[in-house]
Amino acid sequence: LLRTQGHRVIGIDLVAADVIADLSTPVGRLEAVEKVQEIASGTLDAVITCAGIAAPKPITVATNFFGVTQLVEGLLDLLALSAAPRVVVTTSVAALKDIDDELVRRLLSGREADALQRAQELAAGQSTSTLNFTSSKYALSQWVRHEAVRRQWALAGIALNAVAPGTILTKSMHKLLLNPDHRAFVDSEIPMPLNGHLLPIDVARVLVWLASPENAHITGQTVFVDGGAEAILRSSRSF
């Protein structure tokens, strides 16, 4: 979508991208930052992070939280040189589900080794393994909220926000939903009464707008792109 609008995009991924890097590791994040700095030639207008893992393993925590926060922090200097710098990260409506408070605390403290230790403990339990995903996404939304108003972001004019999608019809999800039982389970967990499941382009449009100069004052927010799931799942006191 960005390319069709005439923007230059630097892609980061494990394969077939402008920058090949493993964001689940500190070394991989540093390599990604250095390569982006080389390619960007001095300035960066926006960062949109979409990489993520949903497996019940510690690597989910490493990628979903530190793979985002450390990458973006490493690119702050480039962003600050833009006339309208923006950052948008991707969380999930699943962050509204059960989380592990201890893991969230360790994530927000920035102690990756401690967080991965807790993630390993959760991964070992049959009833707790999914908490690695939900907790990493919840912590990411909290990080956005806390960081967005700090000096290095707000006074540099960098809007920092998150998008929390509902069920997206990716290739793997589409295949899963072909099974009526799986579809019923997914829809019971993430009810989406408005227009049903999302297409990737539905999320992309929101990401691109939040990353554009048109977004002048929205910051520190998690925008739910979920067909109404958040309104159903969260307390009536929320707004």
Side-chain angles (χ1 to χ4, degrees):
L1 179 58
L2 285 164
R3 290 188 175 107
T4 63
Q5 296 178 359
H7 297 288
R8 181 188 179 195
V9 178
I10 301 171
I12 305 174
D13 211 329
L14 288 170
V15 294
D18 303 291
V19 174
I20 306 299
D22 182 356
L23 298 180
S24 71
T25 70
V27 172
R29 296 162 206 150
L30 180 60
E31 290 176 347
V33 168
E34 291 175 346
K35 291 175 183 176
V36 170
Q37 289 171 336
E38 293 174 7
I39 297 173
S41 302
T43 187
L44 198 63
D45 295 312
V47 177
I48 298 175
T49 68
C50 297
I53 299 176
K57 301 176 181 179
I59 193 174
T60 293
V61 168
T63 304
N64 292 1
F65 187 81
F66 294 106
V68 173
T69 58
Q70 291 184 4
L71 175 73
V72 172
E73 288 169 345
L75 296 171
L76 264 173
D77 289 345
L78 280 182
L79 285 162
L81 296 174
S82 171
R86 307 285 182 260
V87 174
V88 194
V89 307
T90 307
T91 62
S92 172
V93 72
L96 299 176
K97 297 292 185 177
D98 291 339
I99 60 170
D100 181 70
D101 291 330
E102 178 61 22
L103 176 55
V104 170
R105 185 179 66 81
R106 296 187 190 188
L107 289 169
L108 293 175
S109 73
R111 305 196 315 265
E112 184 166 4
D114 288 346
L116 292 180
Q117 180 184 29
R118 179 58 180 166
Q120 184 60 55
E121 294 169 0
L122 294 172
Q126 186 174 0
S127 62
T128 59
S129 58
T130 59
L131 297 179
N132 279 322
F133 176 71
T134 58
S135 300
S136 67
K137 292 298 190 178
Y138 176 84
L140 187 56
S141 282
Q142 291 298 306
W143 178 83
V144 165
R145 189 168 184 82
H146 297 158
E147 287 289 313
V149 293
R150 294 183 65 187
R151 186 180 193 90
Q152 63 264 42
W153 300 92
L155 294 188
I158 306 172
L160 171 63
N161 292 287
V163 164
T167 303
I168 305 174
L169 291 174
T170 59
K171 291 181 180 179
S172 57
M173 180 58 70
H174 182 74
K175 183 177 180 180
L176 178 70
L177 295 175
L178 291 176
N179 182 308
D181 292 336
H182 291 164
R183 187 184 188 95
F185 175 77
V186 169
D187 289 343
S188 67
E189 288 292 302
I190 310 294
M192 300 175 64
L194 177 65
N195 297 327
H197 302 132
L198 296 160
L199 295 174
I201 189 63
D202 296 324
V203 186
R205 291 190 180 107
V206 181
L207 288 166
V208 167
W209 186 86
L210 286 170
S212 75
E214 292 181 358
N215 172 28
H217 288 88
I218 298 175
T219 196
Q221 303 301 306
T222 295
V223 179
F224 288 87
V225 188
D226 62 2
E230 185 268 346
I232 294 173
L233 295 173
R234 199 138 65 156
S235 166
S236 59
R237 294 182 63 185
S238 302
F239 61 90

